[in-house]
Amino acid sequence: MVGCRSSGVVTASTLVFTGQCKLISIHAIAIGAPTVLKVWDGTAASGKEIARISLAPDETIEFDMHGVLCSAGLYIEEVSGAMAASVEYA
């Protein structure tokens, strides 16, 4: 892979990108509480759910997505708890 873009660190639900892209990886940490986050193929927290990650308090994870093709965009949702997360995409 030549390179990819990053959402930068986000701490709340947010639209990352609109349009077709490849999801490369997800990096996340639960800040002080159990946390659930979801990544959606779309521009909101609906449609095709690409990943769901549950984290224990202060747990950190890197989730390799191997270039999953997303057709509508990328939306990251903080379902519960508190997160700091980034998604890398191309």
Side-chain angles (χ1 to χ4, degrees):
M1 177 164 306
V2 175
C4 60
R5 297 176 179 161
S6 177
S7 65
V9 175
V10 299
T11 57
S13 299
T14 191
L15 176 61
V16 173
F17 183 76
T18 301
Q20 186 173 334
C21 63
K22 290 183 180 181
L23 179 56
I24 306 302
S25 64
I26 304 164
H27 297 83
I29 184 170
I31 301 171
T35 300
V36 175
L37 64 108
K38 296 180 181 180
V39 177
W40 298 88
D41 176 355
T43 57
S46 62
K48 187 175 186 179
E49 184 180 336
I50 300 299
R52 182 181 305 188
I53 301 172
S54 297
L55 299 169
D58 303 317
E59 181 179 9
T60 301
I61 191 169
E62 178 183 3
F63 209 68
D64 187 356
M65 295 300 295
H66 302 285
V68 169
L69 185 60
C70 297
S71 60
L74 283 173
Y75 186 89
I76 188 167
E77 177 188 13
E78 180 182 78
V79 178
S80 63
M83 68 169 186
S86 68
V87 293
E88 285 63 49
Y89 59 99

